[in-house]
Amino acid sequence: MLYLASQSPRRRELLARLGHEFGLLELDVPEQRQPGEPAEDYVRRVAREKAGAGLLKVVGNPAAVVLGSDTEVVLDDEVFGKPRDAADAAAMLRRLSGRTHRVISAVSLVSPAREAQAVSVSEVSFAELDEATIARYVAGGEPMGKAGAYAIQGAAEAFVTRLSGSYSGVMGLPLYETAQLLRQFGLG
């Protein structure tokens, strides 16, 4: 039985596109980057911790396979997590304006017998955003709860001048890498 260790509606939607039935595990795993921890290592670790915490919830099921994932926006080695409030969201968008940033999305799949992981790194270039555009976007509420204060599948798609990598990875779950891992576990 496949389980998704995530509260993200986007990850649920993306995983469903692969045609697998899955259960949901709601967890509260702290997402705190350690001092000196490289951004990609941080994203990998959080994805692994989410999957591991999910496996603990279904420990009595020897057929359980748990998927954990984490996605972060990185600019100049700074990880842009979810904004604390509207002012924080606007500040993030100002920093991303006119620049190219990386989106790192890690997927961990664990079962009682094994573990595997994949990482997708995408580059996203934003147009120059004026204050009125940022204010309108933030006022719409879409940036809240989103890494980097934007949702590429929403109104922020209009900010993107170039994407190199995985669109689904930027959304929160890289489907190619996820499908490969599921096949490794006999679920594809």
Side-chain angles (χ1 to χ4, degrees), residues 16-146:
R17 290 181 190 176
L18 294 179
H20 295 280
E21 290 198 15
F22 57 91
L24 293 174
L25 300 172
E26 299 221 356
L27 308 166
D28 189 19
V29 174
E31 296 182 26
Q32 188 73 32
R33 188 176 179 193
Q34 302 301 316
E37 184 176 30
E40 188 172 318
D41 292 354
Y42 164 66
V43 177
R44 284 177 173 274
R45 178 177 56 80
V46 171
R48 192 177 324 103
E49 288 175 357
K50 288 177 179 179
L55 191 60
L56 286 175
K57 283 195 155 198
V58 293
V59 75
N61 181 350
V65 176
V66 179
L67 187 153
S69 184
D70 189 46
T71 300
E72 298 294 347
V73 169
V74 181
L75 179 67
D76 300 330
D77 197 48
E78 182 181 345
V79 174
F80 286 43
K82 299 173 179 108
R84 293 180 303 278
D85 54 29
D88 192 34
M92 287 183 192
L93 292 166
R94 280 186 208 99
R95 299 253 332 268
L96 296 173
S97 174
R99 309 254 334 256
T100 297
H101 59 274
R102 291 184 304 145
V103 178
I104 304 171
S105 194
V107 182
S108 283
L109 212 57
V110 298
S111 72
R114 61 191 290 207
E115 175 181 339
Q117 189 173 67
V119 175
S120 167
V121 180
S122 301
E123 289 191 349
V124 180
S125 300
F126 266 23
E128 293 281 343
L129 305 175
D130 61 33
E131 284 299 317
T133 300
I134 291 172
R136 258 192 320 278
Y137 184 66
V138 171
E142 191 174 88
M144 305 317 293
K146 313 286 190 313

Side-chain angles (χ1 to χ4, degrees), residues 4 8-20 22 69 71 105 153 166-175 178 182:
L4 175 62
S8 165
R10 290 159 303 287
R11 285 198 184 104
R12 286 195 293 271
E13 171 195 333
L14 287 165
L15 185 57
R17 290 181 190 176
L18 294 179
H20 295 280
F22 57 91
S69 184
T71 300
S105 194
Q153 73 278 11
S166 169
Y167 184 85
S168 60
V170 176
M171 275 181 71
L173 187 68
L175 290 182
T178 301
L182 290 168

